[in-house]
Amino acid sequence: MLLTIDLESEQPIYLQIRNSIVEGIANGDLKDGESLPSVRSLASELGINLHTVNKAYHILKLDGFVKILRSKGAIVNATGSSRDTNNFLEAATETLKNIVSEAVIRSIKRDQLIGIVNQLYNEIEGEN
Amino acid sequence: MNELIIQYGIVYLFLTGILVWRPWLSRKNVVFGVVFGDIGVWQRSEIKKVRKRFVLSCLGIAFLLAGIYLLVFITTKMNEGDVTRFYFATIIALLLMEIIPFVIANRSVKKLKRSIPQKNLVKDKITVEIGGSNDIEPLSVMWFLLLLVPIIAAIVFVILYYPQIPGSIATHYNIKGIADKWSEKSINVVMWPIFSQILLAGFMFVVGILTRYAPASVKGNPKAAPNYPSFRRIITASVIAIAMIVELKFLATELLYAGMINNMKLLHEVIPILVAIIVVILIIAFFMWTRSRIPSGTILDDDSKWILGIFYFNPSDSSIFIEKRHGIGQTINFGRPVVWIAALAIIVIAVLTHFMKS
């Protein structure tokens, strides 16, 4: 898959890397067991600090999206995140609460927001 | 004496040729260290004009310095040593002065860039390919194990043949290959070439390992610098090959100590040929995998990271080595403190060994 980072964005680079890889796993661009580039290799390709890539991989590992194997480096772990479903739902509820609150203030209809969620599901799942 | 001057003249012409050739030794969308979004820029009339001015001023400087040299050579009666010393001073002056036309061309192209409409250039976005093919991976570290072969061979040889080595060993040879310094046989003297070999292999190993990951000087998307990992593997391989050649020379020294070979004459003739072959391979590979490749997609505009179009300075990039913006090979990231520390350490070691010798 193609990973694009925005060097001027307010979102930290490690989060951009993390989010792109999660999206790649979700839409099937990254298959289970596929190896990710080494930390050094990815850092030098992007022209960024080693620690930035390391941090992204570390968070992905904590979330269960990648496995770090001594022999093969970082490997996509598409099924490993299932055990954290409850934690994820809790965190997601928290994030959604912010979004829904703002939507209510802006008088955005319930159906409109649900429509966006459905559309995103279609986009990401559809490519599988 | 005249023969020497002719030899010097040939080397001087060769060097001038390379210096004049510089604009052609980069990716087609990089002009004097300034990056463009497409290779069409190479053919633009304003760029052609800058290139023409660069070539003429390079030739002008080279002729001027050669003229001064010949004038001094004819009017004064220099001995052979002075001729050589003055020659090297001229070469250094040539190399330093030839930076000026490049810097001037770099500034003109930067100025022109503002007036040329840009496509495909972005300031802030960079895309890389992850997963799937492992094409960006560098040459495996395993290849560096080759460096151990001559070292082990030399050690085994010394262990087996130490008793056969004569009591007095020629430890230094002049340029013509005739021994001019002898030492009494001892473990130290016999082991010295092996020690040098290990030091050299260690140094080349570190350089090779660090340059393995050197990224392309043009970034932005996987097609911004097509096929550069192939060229990078060739560079790493040539670092190993050069180290092997020097190691073989040390191995031959041990053979010489034991009287297995009489002189290094053959080796001294073969080494320049081997080095020339490596250089030719590098040049061919450069044109195949760098110069002739056409980039596509968005390209990162990072001119501000290339000081004068020559020196890479980017503190937020972990890379120590990076592909040269122009020319064949790699350069260092001056934005990393470790580079300055290493440079200082090398100077200190060079000065110390110089004083220890004298």
Side-chain angles (χ1 to χ4, degrees), chain A residues 1-8 21 30 34-38 40-50, chain B residues 123-132 134 136-137 210 213 215 219 222 228 232 300 314-319:
Chain A
M1 67 166 272
L2 293 175
L3 164 73
T4 300
I5 62 163
D6 187 340
L7 300 166
E8 307 280 306
I21 290 178
L30 287 174
E34 200 167 333
S35 45
L36 296 175
S38 65
R40 184 174 290 278
S41 172
L42 187 55
S44 77
E45 294 306 310
L46 290 169
I48 57 173
N49 204 294
L50 280 182
Chain B
K123 277 241 180 269
D124 46 8
K125 283 208 174 54
I126 176 162
T127 303
V128 294
E129 172 89 46
I130 59 168
N134 263 341
I136 59 164
E137 289 305 314
L210 292 175
Y213 283 103
K219 294 178 177 171
Y228 89 89
R232 184 170 61 180
L300 187 71
N314 185 1
S316 57
D317 185 350
S318 270
S319 304

Side-chain angles (χ1 to χ4, degrees), chain A residues 11-70:
Chain A
Q11 191 177 39
I13 292 171
Y14 75 88
L15 263 186
Q16 295 182 39
I17 297 175
R18 184 259 177 207
N19 291 346
S20 295
I21 290 178
V22 170
E23 199 186 316
I25 297 173
N27 66 23
D29 279 349
L30 287 174
K31 301 269 180 303
D32 191 35
E34 200 167 333
S35 45
L36 296 175
S38 65
V39 172
R40 184 174 290 278
S41 172
L42 187 55
S44 77
E45 294 306 310
L46 290 169
I48 57 173
N49 204 294
L50 280 182
H51 302 302
T52 310
V53 179
N54 226 343
K55 199 167 174 181
Y57 278 17
H58 184 69
I59 293 174
L60 284 165
K61 188 190 153 192
L62 287 183
D63 292 344
F65 293 117
V66 305
K67 275 190 279 195
I68 312 275
L69 300 179
R70 198 166 289 179

Side-chain angles (χ1 to χ4, degrees), chain B residues 72-282:
Chain B
V72 174
F73 178 73
I74 292 163
T75 51
T76 60
K77 286 203 163 22
M78 290 191 288
N79 60 29
E80 205 163 304
D82 283 340
V83 166
T84 302
R85 267 189 289 277
F86 189 41
Y87 177 69
F88 281 111
T90 309
I91 293 283
I92 289 168
L94 176 74
L95 292 175
L96 289 177
M97 283 176 72
E98 292 284 18
I99 295 174
I100 299 167
F102 190 91
V103 172
I104 292 171
N106 171 262
R107 293 178 77 108
S108 331
V109 175
K110 261 189 190 160
K111 224 177 266 169
L112 281 172
K113 190 176 178 178
R114 279 179 233 139
S115 58
I116 297 174
Q118 292 300 325
K119 48 177 184 182
N120 298 341
L121 269 194
V122 288
K123 277 241 180 269
D124 46 8
K125 283 208 174 54
I126 176 162
T127 303
V128 294
E129 172 89 46
I130 59 168
S133 69
N134 263 341
D135 188 44
I136 59 164
E137 289 305 314
L139 199 71
S140 162
V141 194
M142 289 307 198
W143 286 98
F144 285 89
L145 292 180
L146 276 177
L147 293 177
L148 290 177
V149 176
I151 297 179
I152 293 167
I155 292 172
V156 169
F157 177 80
V158 167
I159 292 169
L160 291 179
Y161 286 91
Y162 187 76
Q164 284 181 30
I165 295 174
S168 172
I169 304 172
T171 47
H172 192 265
Y173 292 80
N174 64 16
I175 307 169
K176 285 168 185 134
I178 298 161
D180 57 2
K181 209 170 154 192
W182 281 267
S183 300
E184 217 169 289
K185 177 185 175 181
S186 69
I187 294 279
N188 272 348
V189 172
V190 173
M191 287 302 284
W192 180 251
I194 297 179
F195 181 63
S196 316
Q197 204 176 4
I198 292 170
L199 265 184
L200 174 96
F203 180 73
M204 293 303 252
F205 178 75
V206 172
V207 169
I209 291 295
L210 292 175
T211 54
R212 268 168 83 233
Y213 283 103
S217 63
V218 174
K219 294 178 177 171
N221 83 86
K223 294 194 173 97
N227 266 42
Y228 89 89
S230 310
F231 183 56
R232 184 170 61 180
R233 285 191 281 265
I234 302 266
I235 289 185
T236 312
S238 53
V239 169
I240 297 173
I242 298 271
M244 288 287 279
I245 290 171
V246 186
E247 282 194 353
L248 286 179
K249 203 187 156 187
F250 287 123
L251 181 62
T253 310
E254 297 289 356
L255 294 175
L256 197 68
Y257 287 177
M260 298 277 208
I261 53 174
N262 292 324
N263 56 53
M264 300 274 237
K265 235 177 133 187
L266 182 70
L267 201 65
H268 278 227
E269 279 163 12
V270 171
I271 285 178
I273 296 171
L274 289 178
V275 173
I277 290 173
I278 293 171
V279 170
V280 169
I281 290 175
L282 269 177

Side-chain angles (χ1 to χ4, degrees), chain B residues 281-320:
Chain B
I281 290 175
L282 269 177
I283 293 174
I284 293 171
F286 174 80
F287 279 91
M288 271 177 69
W289 282 307
T290 300
R291 177 80 184 161
S292 72
R293 296 284 161 162
I294 298 163
S296 56
T298 54
I299 284 166
L300 187 71
D301 184 354
D302 57 351
D303 289 340
S304 58
K305 305 280 193 300
W306 288 90
I307 295 163
L308 307 176
I310 303 171
F311 305 107
Y312 185 63
F313 186 91
N314 185 1
S316 57
D317 185 350
S318 270
S319 304
I320 294 174

